[in-house]
């Protein structure tokens, strides 16, 4: 009984072993190299943009704005962020967005990204219940 149990444990532990393909060197280079760093830098800038625009408190519609961020392979931003001018450092937001757009363009090129060449139109922003939101201003 003990031999059968030991043999069963040994067989089960060996079935989890997988041979590593010979072509992993290229994959490891891509994951550990410049592309990985580019993706990490892009993600960090995206998080920074989100932090810069997270406080959306407002009192009037004119305090709410949208900014196109990112880069689609065919051109133009890949999304829009809404922000409040009361709580956002617009110079820092613009600077961070410029860096983010450059890195997104590089990332798109390196990954050979494609997209529909449909341009996203900037949405309207308004202050609703003292918070910037997308949509038409309340009448």
């Amino acid at each position: 009984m003990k031999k059968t149990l030991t043999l069963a444990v040994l067989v089960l532990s060996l079935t989890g072993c997988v041979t590593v393909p010979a072509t992993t060197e290229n994959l490891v280079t891509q994951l550990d190299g410049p592309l990985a760093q580019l993706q990490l830098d892009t993600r960090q800038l995206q998080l920074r943009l989100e932090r810069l625009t997270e406080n959306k408190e407002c009192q009037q519609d004119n305090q709410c704005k949208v900014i196109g961020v990112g880069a689609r392979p065919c051109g133009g931003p890949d999304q829009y962020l809404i922000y409040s001018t009361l709580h956002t450092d617009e110079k820092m937001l613009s600077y961070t967005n410029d860096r983010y757009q450059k890195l997104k363009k590089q990332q798109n090129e390196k990954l050979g990204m494609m997209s529909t060449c449909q341009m996203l139109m900037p949405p309207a922003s308004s202050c609703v219940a003292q918070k910037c939101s997308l949509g038409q201003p309340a009448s």
Side-chain angles (χ1 to χ4, degrees), residues 79-91:
Q79 66 176 315
Y80 287 91
L81 292 178
I82 189 167
Y83 68 95
S84 168
T85 59
L86 287 178
H87 302 285
T88 302
D89 180 344
E90 290 186 278
K91 283 186 180 182

Side-chain angles (χ1 to χ4, degrees), residues 65-114:
K65 292 187 179 180
V66 293
I67 184 171
V69 298
R72 289 182 144 205
C74 284
D78 59 4
Q79 66 176 315
Y80 287 91
L81 292 178
I82 189 167
Y83 68 95
S84 168
T85 59
L86 287 178
H87 302 285
T88 302
D89 180 344
E90 290 186 278
K91 283 186 180 182
M92 181 57 74
L93 180 63
S94 178
Y95 173 76
T96 303
N97 189 39
D98 288 345
R99 289 180 51 212
Y100 179 67
Q101 285 179 332
K102 287 176 186 173
L103 290 182
K104 282 298 283 187
K105 286 178 185 176
Q106 289 177 6
Q107 186 180 40
N108 289 340
E109 289 171 9
K110 287 192 183 277
L111 293 173
M113 298 296 290
M114 296 173 60

Side-chain angles (χ1 to χ4, degrees), residues 29-76:
T29 302
Q30 287 179 2
L31 293 175
D32 292 338
L35 181 57
Q37 187 62 50
L38 178 61
Q39 290 176 311
L40 179 65
D41 293 345
T42 303
R43 180 66 180 139
Q44 288 175 341
L45 285 172
Q46 181 183 19
L47 291 172
R48 187 168 190 183
L49 286 169
E50 290 170 5
R51 279 193 306 272
L52 284 168
T53 60
E54 68 186 348
N55 187 342
K56 298 183 184 347
E57 292 177 359
C58 60
Q59 288 135 14
Q60 301 173 357
D61 287 336
N62 66 352
Q63 296 167 333
C64 299
K65 292 187 179 180
V66 293
I67 184 171
V69 298
R72 289 182 144 205
C74 284

